Amino acid sequence: DGAVVGIVSRANLIQALATFRNRTGQAQPVADAELREKVVSRLKSEPWVRPSLVNVTVTDGTVDLWGIVDSSVEKQALRVAVEITPGVKAVNDNVLVRPVASGT
């Protein structure tokens, strides 16, 4: 009837979203082999990734990246592409940046 009955703060909304995310994230575990396929498929769909130079292993939802890229920017982009893949819990980045060839 127009009377204030309570206040919802920003902190209340963030807590509700975090609780909802935790519940939905735990309900859908992904098998390591299936997660590896998702990650590899995502990387193959990116035009800047050379899949022959990158290897992916998955253990308990943790992705290990191995390989070589041309720049630190490409290395970071590779990591981000893997991190945003649903089911990935963590990423161990073992990718090396190819040294710049000198003209000498």
Side-chain angles (χ1 to χ4, degrees), residues 41-102:
S41 177
R42 172 174 288 243
L43 295 179
K44 285 182 178 178
S45 72
E46 298 293 344
W48 48 268
V49 175
R50 290 186 287 178
S52 63
L53 298 179
V54 178
N55 190 24
V56 176
T57 60
V58 179
T59 305
D60 296 328
T62 298
V63 177
D64 286 286
L65 290 174
W66 303 89
I68 191 163
V69 293
D70 291 327
S71 69
S72 59
V73 172
E74 187 177 344
K75 178 178 176 163
Q76 181 63 29
L78 185 66
R79 182 184 181 97
V80 169
V82 173
E83 286 176 336
I84 64 173
T85 304
V88 172
K89 294 179 183 175
V91 177
N92 294 323
D93 187 350
N94 303 294
V95 175
L96 300 174
V97 176
R98 184 185 317 253
V100 177
S102 64

